[in-house]
Amino acid sequence: MGNGPENSGSGDLLAARYLDAAIDLLRRVRDEESADITAAGELIADAVAADGRLFAFGAGHSSLAAQDVVYRAGGLALMNLLSVPGVVGVDVMPATLGSALERVDGLAGAVLDSSPVRPGDVLVIISLSGRNSLPVEMAMNARALGLKVIGVTSVAYATETKSRHVSGTFLKDHCDLVLDSKIAVGDAELALDSVDAPFGPASTMVASALMQAMMATAAAALAERGIQPPLLRSGNVDGGHDWNGRVFSEYGDRIFYRH
């Protein structure tokens, strides 16, 4: 876990240790996942060029990385959030309900059947552990419907934990491409003898970095094909709203967060 569970009596040193651990994770992702990030970006570019739709899904805190690429300045306008009521974030009460719903069999199928997905679309599924029924079934059902599936997950969980899906499989087993976040089981980069539990999660930061790297690669891949990527501008810069309005008008049939 990062630089290891060493003791430190200084908050400043502990903050530095966390940031160093985060930097180490990002470097590992850069060095070990770059080829798959490029392949994922090309897969997304393929879908955009073929008039396909883009979707991202995550449950609980994994949803944060999915939301981070939807209606985002500097991001692809075509990325839509595939939302499952009750599991998108911790706004549901009680917050533990979201975790419980992740283990419900059949929920993913109902969501996909009610969504605008169609063959040739791309679905990015973000799940740190990839062990619960919802992300596993989401990937299985999406591929059965003809979608391309990209998984963002920690492969370590598949070797150090047991699947909660009846098949005994993990998210990584049902994807066209897998991006490994390198997060250790437990998602905690720090430990102290004086603190009973490990702390300092980093999965959201790494997953978001993977998502943004993928989106950037897709934009570049489209440009290389002579296709202007449908990017959004910030609404807080002059002309941003007008720019976005033109993008929404041109690609409105593939943008579902405005309906």
Side-chain angles (χ1 to χ4, degrees):
M1 295 188 295
N3 292 335
E6 302 170 357
N7 286 296
S8 171
S10 167
D12 290 343
L13 290 177
L14 198 64
R17 254 180 57 221
Y18 175 81
L19 292 172
D20 286 342
I23 291 169
D24 288 345
L25 283 166
L26 290 174
R27 282 176 173 157
R28 282 192 65 196
V29 165
R30 178 197 64 192
D31 295 342
E32 299 173 21
E33 299 300 304
S34 59
D36 285 331
I37 292 171
T38 298
E42 292 285 350
L43 197 63
I44 290 171
D46 289 342
V48 173
D51 294 327
R53 292 95 171 271
L54 308 177
F55 299 88
F57 166 77
H61 287 96
S62 291
S63 179
L64 296 175
Q67 295 178 57
D68 193 43
V69 294
V70 177
Y71 186 45
R72 180 64 188 262
L76 289 175
L78 304 189
M79 183 58 77
N80 301 277
L81 183 68
L82 188 63
S83 179
V84 180
V87 305
V88 173
V90 294
D91 56 332
V92 63
M93 297 295 288
T96 51
L97 176 61
S99 297
L101 289 174
E102 281 192 74
R103 305 178 191 182
V104 174
D105 295 334
L107 182 56
V111 170
L112 285 169
D113 288 345
S114 303
S115 75
V117 301
R118 63 188 184 188
D121 292 348
V122 172
L123 172 60
V124 185
I125 301 176
I126 306 155
S127 174
L128 172 59
S129 72
R131 68 189 297 223
N132 289 309
S133 293
L134 185 54
V136 173
E137 290 186 356
M138 189 73 76
M140 294 173 69
N141 291 0
R143 292 183 84 187
L145 292 171
L147 278 72
K148 297 294 186 180
V149 176
I150 300 169
V152 178
T153 187
S154 170
V155 174
Y157 277 81
T159 58
E160 299 180 37
T161 69
K162 292 183 179 180
S163 170
R164 290 182 173 137
H165 188 255
V166 64
S167 68
T169 60
F170 288 75
L171 168 62
K172 74 174 187 64
D173 300 316
H174 305 284
C175 297
D176 295 280
L177 283 168
V178 174
L179 304 183
D180 184 3
S181 64
K182 316 295 181 184
I183 300 295
V185 173
D187 192 16
E189 294 299 316
L190 301 174
L192 290 174
D193 290 342
S194 57
V195 178
D196 290 342
F199 55 101
S203 60
T204 303
M205 176 270 301
V206 176
S208 289
L210 280 166
M211 294 294 288
Q212 294 295 351
M214 190 193 319
M215 295 299 104
T217 301
L222 286 166
E224 289 174 359
R225 304 179 193 192
I227 301 171
Q228 192 60 224
L231 297 169
L232 294 174
R233 290 181 180 268
S234 171
N236 295 314
V237 299
D238 293 341
H241 286 298
D242 291 338
W243 172 282
N244 293 341
R246 290 191 293 271
V247 173
F248 291 149
S249 177
E250 183 176 354
Y251 293 95
D253 61 331
R254 292 190 269 171
I255 297 173
F256 302 101
Y257 50 81
R258 301 185 72 243
H259 295 178

